[in-house]
């Protein structure tokens, strides 16, 4: 394996010792056969972090604001935990490991609902399962290289989101073994007529760029039924509901539903969102 | 992902999650290539485009308990590593390891059973082996000084190669015994990294 030697590879028990790690290539292979690579900025930062003392590294890893120039991205934190696994019995490593798990915890949606009084059991279950799987990946990685963790070194937030979606998918499938499928207007033969003008009028919902407005909108979209949420996301991403051109990817084709069903779901979603956002003073 | 089989939904989602751009074009490309996973790809696309919210709150007692439990699990996972870097490797792991290092399985088995003189192993090969099983060279040196173990059940299959010696041998001898071709032996012995 090709390696890039950085710093001294010595190990001592003190916090004053250098981080001193060897930066190795990732082992995960892309579908085309080439190896995945870390972001160049992450690699460059790893080189400079390797020259810090362990105490300095821990202090910097405790910074939570991503905009802070001394912030250590989770991609780097994970790399350092993996690369220093031989020091797992040392106190400084434990602090580093705990900071990494704290980052994961803070990145996952909280089980508490925005009202602060109630909480979602399914969100709590997903959170527990995601943490559990991440911890297992790290534990296994101490003994056998776990390629899945490479994704986290490339794009930590994305890989964590992927893990969460995977857990949610399995939980959803489990839940629905005992429950009828989501109400589908088409299969019931019940199709609501499209409300003229509603889509155009409500598309202004997505025009505001103000951050607090966007966060409220995100929360409102989270509250929609799954199918409506997907349609709204695809609209936000610029997909058309349908097209006469068979080569164009549309929402109807992606979701395997008729144009009419998609429009009905869209109108219901937009009406819900408009109601949710109407108290925000932007309209 | 392996090109010869249909990738799992998890594989596809992971690949999508690390694409440089989580935009319309990327989503469309994945939807076309993996239409069966459309729902999950759209869900993940939404997550990837979500605005980040800085969490400045202090940790709850439940969160602290989760972190404590995670650390205990991690600390426990390393208890056998120091003495035996091959502990907990399954038969499939051993197969994958042999495939990765491009040597017959009995070569890997010989390492596990400490029938190799570690000092005779080219540094490059030892590095690659250590990396693959998440051990250090020091682990190997300690491990290699322990007595030879009996072959495990995983090797109780009928072998076409001739029986393997039970006393520690040099790496080169091990390769000869395992039927590795001369060209490959030379390449492996030159693997000094």
């Amino acid at each position: 394996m090709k390696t890039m030697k950085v710093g001294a590879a010595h190990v001592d028990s003190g916090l004053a010792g250098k981080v001193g790690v060897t930066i190795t290539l990732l082992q995960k292979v892309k579908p085309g056969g080439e190896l995945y690579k870390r972001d160049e900025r992450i690699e460059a930062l790893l080189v400079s972090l390797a020259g810090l003392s362990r105490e300095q590294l821990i202090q910097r890893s405790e910074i939570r604001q991503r905009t802070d120039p001394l912030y250590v991205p989770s991609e780097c934190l994970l790399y350092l935990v993996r690369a220093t696994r031989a020091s797992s019995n040392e106190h400084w490593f434990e602090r580093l490991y705990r900071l990494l798990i704290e980052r994961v915890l803070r990145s996952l949606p909280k089980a508490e609902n925005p009202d602060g009084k109630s909480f979602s059991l399914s969100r709590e279950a997903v959170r527990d399962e995601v943490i559990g799987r991440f911890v297992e990946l790290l534990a296994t990685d101490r003994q056998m290289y776990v390629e899945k963790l490479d994704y986290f070194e490339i794009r930590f937030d994305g890989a964590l989101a992927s893990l969460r979606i995977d857990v949610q998918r399995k939980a959803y499938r489990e839940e629905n073994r005992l429950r009828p499928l989501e109400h589908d207007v088409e299969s019931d033969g019940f199709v609501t007529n499209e409300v003229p003008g509603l889509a155009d009028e409500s598309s202004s919902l997505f025009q505001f760029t103000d951050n607090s407005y966007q966060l409220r909108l995100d929360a409102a979209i989270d509250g929609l039924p799954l199918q409506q949420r997907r349609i709204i996301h695809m609209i936000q991403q610029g997909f058309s509901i349908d097209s006469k051109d068979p080569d164009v990817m549309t929402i109807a084709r992606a979701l395997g539903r008729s144009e009419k069903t998609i429009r009905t779901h869209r109108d219901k979603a937009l009406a819900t969102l408009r109601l949710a956002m109407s108290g925000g003073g932007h309209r | 992902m392996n090109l010869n089989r249909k990738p799992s939904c998890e594989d596809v989602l992971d690949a999508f999650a690390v694409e440089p751009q989580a935009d319309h074009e990327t989503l469309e490309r994945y939807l076309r290539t993996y239409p069966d996973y459309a729902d999950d790809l759209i869900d993940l696309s939404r997550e990837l485009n979500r605005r980040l919210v800085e969490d400045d709150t202090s940790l709850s007692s439940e969160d602290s308990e989760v972190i404590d439990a995670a650390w205990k699990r991690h600390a426990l996972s390393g208890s056998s590593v120091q003495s035996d870097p091959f502990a907990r490797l399954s038969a499939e792991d051993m197969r994958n390891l042999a495939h990765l290092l491009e040597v017959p399985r009995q070569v890997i088995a010989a390492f596990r059973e400490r029938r190799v003189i570690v000092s005779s192993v080219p540094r490059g090969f030892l590095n690659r082996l250590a990396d693959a099983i998440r051990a250090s060279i020091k682990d190997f040196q300690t491990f290699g000084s322990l007595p030879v173990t009996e072959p495990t059940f995983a090797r109780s299959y009928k072998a076409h190669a001739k029986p393997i010696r039970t006393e520690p041998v040099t790496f080169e001898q091990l390769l000869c015994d395992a039927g590795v071709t001369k060209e490959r032996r030379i390449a492996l012995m030159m693997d000094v990294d």
Side-chain angles (χ1 to χ4, degrees):
Chain A
M1 170 182 287
K2 290 178 185 172
T3 58
M4 178 166 41
K5 299 285 181 186
V6 177
H10 67 275
V11 173
D12 67 44
S13 57
L15 281 167
K18 297 278 185 202
V19 176
V21 291
T22 300
I23 300 178
T24 55
L25 299 178
L26 296 176
Q27 294 186 20
K28 187 71 191 172
V29 178
K30 290 183 181 180
E34 57 187 304
L35 286 175
Y36 274 105
K37 288 180 182 169
R38 295 180 196 90
D39 188 291
E40 284 178 6
R41 285 165 298 179
I42 295 295
E43 290 253 340
L45 190 53
L46 282 174
V47 171
S48 69
L49 292 174
L52 296 180
S53 73
R54 290 159 185 167
E55 186 159 26
Q56 287 170 323
L57 174 68
I58 287 165
Q59 281 172 356
R60 283 187 57 172
S61 302
E62 283 170 344
I63 298 171
R64 293 212 298 268
Q65 286 72 31
R66 295 178 189 231
T67 50
D68 191 313
L70 295 179
Y71 175 77
V72 177
S74 300
E75 289 85 351
C76 293
L77 199 48
L78 171 62
Y79 176 79
L80 293 165
V81 164
R82 296 179 86 186
T84 58
R85 64 192 181 282
S87 309
S88 294
N89 295 330
E90 296 173 27
H91 183 60
W92 71 272
F93 177 87
E94 180 181 343
R95 287 173 66 185
L96 206 60
Y97 177 90
R98 285 173 176 272
L99 285 170
L100 178 62
I101 300 300
E102 184 180 333
R103 294 268 184 101
V104 176
L105 264 177
R106 289 185 182 279
S107 297
L108 294 171
K110 291 182 182 298
E112 292 81 21
N113 285 322
D115 62 15
K117 295 171 189 165
S118 58
F119 69 97
S120 157
L121 273 176
S122 59
R123 224 179 291 146
E124 186 183 42
V126 167
R127 189 176 159 92
D128 288 349
E129 179 67 17
V130 171
I131 288 280
R133 280 180 56 179
F134 186 76
V135 167
E136 282 307 311
L137 288 172
L138 276 180
T140 307
D141 191 61
R142 286 186 72 180
Q143 302 177 37
M144 180 78 183
Y145 195 92
V146 176
E147 290 184 356
K148 188 174 174 70
L149 282 173
D150 286 1
Y151 290 120
F152 289 79
E153 285 193 40
I154 302 163
R155 192 174 173 194
F156 194 88
D157 292 333
L160 191 60
S162 175
L163 183 60
R164 185 152 66 84
I165 294 293
D166 192 53
V167 167
Q168 275 175 338
R169 174 167 52 91
K170 285 167 185 163
Y172 182 77
R173 195 190 299 151
E174 189 65 26
E175 257 178 40
N176 284 278
R177 281 172 49 205
L178 303 170
R179 190 192 293 174
L181 289 174
E182 188 180 348
H183 186 71
D184 184 333
V185 288
E186 193 174 49
S187 60
D188 286 355
F190 170 76
V191 178
T192 315
N193 287 331
E194 186 178 349
V195 181
L198 177 64
D200 291 339
E201 186 194 336
S202 296
S203 63
S204 61
L205 275 169
F206 308 128
Q207 286 176 357
F208 298 103
T209 53
D210 169 58
N211 201 43
S212 65
Y213 175 87
Q214 291 291 351
L215 290 175
R216 278 204 307 129
L217 181 61
D218 272 350
I221 294 172
D222 284 341
L224 294 173
L226 204 50
Q227 197 74 317
Q228 292 183 24
R229 209 185 305 164
R230 288 175 182 147
I231 292 167
I232 292 298
H233 176 64
M234 289 194 78
I235 290 171
Q236 287 179 303
Q237 287 288 297
F239 287 90
S240 303
I241 288 182
D242 206 8
S243 169
K244 286 178 182 165
D245 183 346
D247 292 333
V248 172
M249 175 55 71
T250 63
I251 303 175
R253 284 175 193 141
L255 295 177
R257 295 282 188 271
S258 74
E259 175 194 354
K260 201 156 193 176
T261 299
I262 298 293
R263 288 191 192 282
T264 302
H265 278 303
R266 178 203 59 186
D267 288 348
K268 284 183 175 178
L270 291 178
T272 306
L273 293 178
R274 198 171 46 166
L275 192 65
M277 301 304 290
S278 59
H282 282 277
R283 292 181 55 82
Chain B
M1 280 181 278
N2 186 333
L3 285 175
N4 298 321
R5 63 175 172 86
K6 183 187 174 190
S8 69
C9 186
E10 187 178 346
D11 285 341
V12 172
L13 292 181
D14 281 339
F16 182 62
V18 298
E19 287 283 346
Q21 299 292 329
D23 55 11
H24 178 112
E25 285 71 27
T26 309
L27 179 56
E28 178 166 350
R29 178 159 49 88
Y30 273 75
L31 288 173
R32 284 185 191 284
T33 315
Y34 308 107
D36 292 349
Y37 306 141
D39 287 352
D40 295 301
L41 284 167
I42 296 165
D43 292 346
L44 180 55
S45 170
R46 171 158 164 68
E47 293 304 320
L48 299 177
N49 284 281
R50 190 183 283 276
R51 281 155 201 83
L52 289 171
V53 183
E54 298 283 359
D55 178 5
D56 286 333
T57 57
S58 49
L59 287 176
S60 67
S61 57
E62 288 84 5
D63 288 342
S64 298
E65 284 169 18
V66 169
I67 295 173
D68 286 345
W71 171 248
K72 279 180 191 159
R73 168 72 187 95
H74 195 75
L76 195 66
S77 71
S79 55
S80 59
V81 174
Q82 299 297 326
S83 57
D84 183 356
F86 290 93
R88 290 186 58 183
L89 290 193
S90 65
E92 188 184 356
D93 293 336
M94 297 289 281
R95 265 197 306 278
N96 291 339
L97 194 54
H99 181 71
L100 180 74
L101 298 173
E102 298 176 79
V103 292
R105 281 172 60 192
Q106 55 261 52
V107 172
I108 304 298
F111 271 93
R112 183 178 58 188
E113 290 152 16
R114 302 194 281 273
R115 289 185 293 97
V116 191
I117 299 168
V118 175
S119 59
S120 72
V121 184
R123 189 78 174 181
F125 184 87
L126 205 55
N127 275 334
R128 290 193 293 129
L129 176 60
D131 273 335
I133 64 171
R134 313 301 278 152
S136 67
I137 297 295
K138 195 177 166 191
D139 289 338
F140 268 108
Q141 285 161 346
T142 311
F143 178 66
S145 66
L146 297 172
V148 174
T149 64
E150 290 299 315
T152 61
F153 69 92
R155 287 184 55 246
S156 60
Y157 53 85
K158 183 182 175 185
H160 295 293
K162 51 183 175 177
I164 294 175
R165 299 155 195 257
T166 52
E167 70 277 17
V169 295
T170 63
F171 184 62
E172 190 165 17
Q173 185 61 56
L174 173 65
L175 296 176
C176 288
D177 289 349
V180 175
T181 63
K182 189 177 177 187
E183 291 75 21
R184 180 70 187 137
R185 280 207 312 271
I186 291 170
L188 286 166
M189 293 308 295
M190 297 283 283
D191 188 4
V192 292
D193 200 25

